[in-house]
Amino acid sequence: MLNVIDHGPADTNEPPLLIVHGLFGSGRNWGAIAKRLSPNRRVIAVDQRNHGNSPWFDSHTYEDMAADLAEVITHFGGRMDVCGHSMGGKAAMVLALTRPDLVNRLIVADIAPVTYGHDQNQNIQAMRSVDLSKVTKRADASAQLAAHIPDTTLQSFFTQSLDVKEQRWRLNLDVLDAEMPKILSFPDISGRFEGPTLFLSGANSDYVAPEHRATIREKFPKARFAKITGAGHWLHAEKPREFVASLEAWLSHSAL
């Protein structure tokens, strides 16, 4: 089973919330968000396959990831609300479409069920370029990454997946590189999820475009859309308080 970080149980009648991170992330990245939400409900954050402390596999498809999430939900006793960001949002959508019996409500953070043209392989190459034998602290890795990735925020994000003591990445870079076309795409699934669904996006992001709405509504007929002002694709990290407030407001007003 996937590695999980269990923030709970909360002593409430609210259903538990499963948080699913995006590419190159981990459940640990969502610790602050999970803690802010956990007084009102049990919150469980996962490390997806080939990420964090979860097992490594030779494949990384959305069907794989959805099956992993289904195993976690079943292990904890049944249905959950599910929130997924980016790649995690796609995995959460596939779970809802294929196993609607396991999902109460769905929150999709800044991603649509479509194929994207951008590539992430350059970031994999940047991480591969780091001479881990010369890394004794995360700042050492950031300094090396700077030659390829000038954005200090991204440097910090990537090095959170670095095991400094073991001098290894907690990312299966070879498989993520090979499976990148599948990660950028979205599988052809004929199902529909009839439960409440929120597509929450950063106002400065173009990941969920107006032309995507027809496809979204076809698969998620109860979809609602909201944006967080001043946020981009990493809306939960850029505007954490607003992100939590948006989730809590929607969860409190959307009927199960």
Side-chain angles (χ1 to χ4, degrees), residues 138-147 155:
R138 296 187 194 280
D140 297 334
S142 293
Q144 292 189 51
L145 285 172
Q155 294 168 23

Side-chain angles (χ1 to χ4, degrees), residues 187-208:
D188 184 12
I189 297 175
S190 59
R192 285 159 59 98
F193 177 65
E194 302 287 347
T197 306
L198 174 66
F199 281 80
L200 182 60
S201 304
N204 298 336
S205 172
D206 60 0
Y207 274 69
V208 183

Side-chain angles (χ1 to χ4, degrees), residues 30-44:
W30 285 76
I33 298 292
K35 287 177 182 177
R36 288 175 179 172
L37 291 166
S38 59
N40 299 320
R41 69 187 71 248
R42 186 178 198 173
V43 180
I44 297 167

Side-chain angles (χ1 to χ4, degrees), residues 234-251:
W234 302 96
L235 63 173
H236 62 290
E238 297 168 21
K239 297 287 184 178
R241 294 186 183 278
E242 293 85 347
F243 185 86
V244 169
S246 296
L247 259 63
E248 289 183 326
W250 184 77
L251 287 169

Side-chain angles (χ1 to χ4, degrees), residues 112-157:
V114 299
T115 297
Y116 291 89
H118 59 262
D119 196 356
Q120 295 288 342
N121 295 88
Q122 74 277 6
N123 292 321
I124 292 176
Q125 298 309 317
M127 283 183 270
R128 280 175 169 162
S129 74
V130 174
D131 184 350
L132 296 174
S133 68
K134 297 179 180 179
V135 173
T136 59
K137 54 185 181 299
R138 296 187 194 280
D140 297 334
S142 293
Q144 292 189 51
L145 285 172
H148 308 276
I149 302 172
D151 188 332
T152 56
T153 301
L154 283 179
Q155 294 168 23
S156 176
F157 172 67

Side-chain angles (χ1 to χ4, degrees), residues 19 27 34-35 56 61 67 82 98 103 120 138 173 199 232 245-246:
I19 293 179
K35 287 177 182 177
W56 286 14
T61 69
V82 181
T98 58
V103 181
Q120 295 288 342
R138 296 187 194 280
L173 296 176
F199 281 80
S246 296

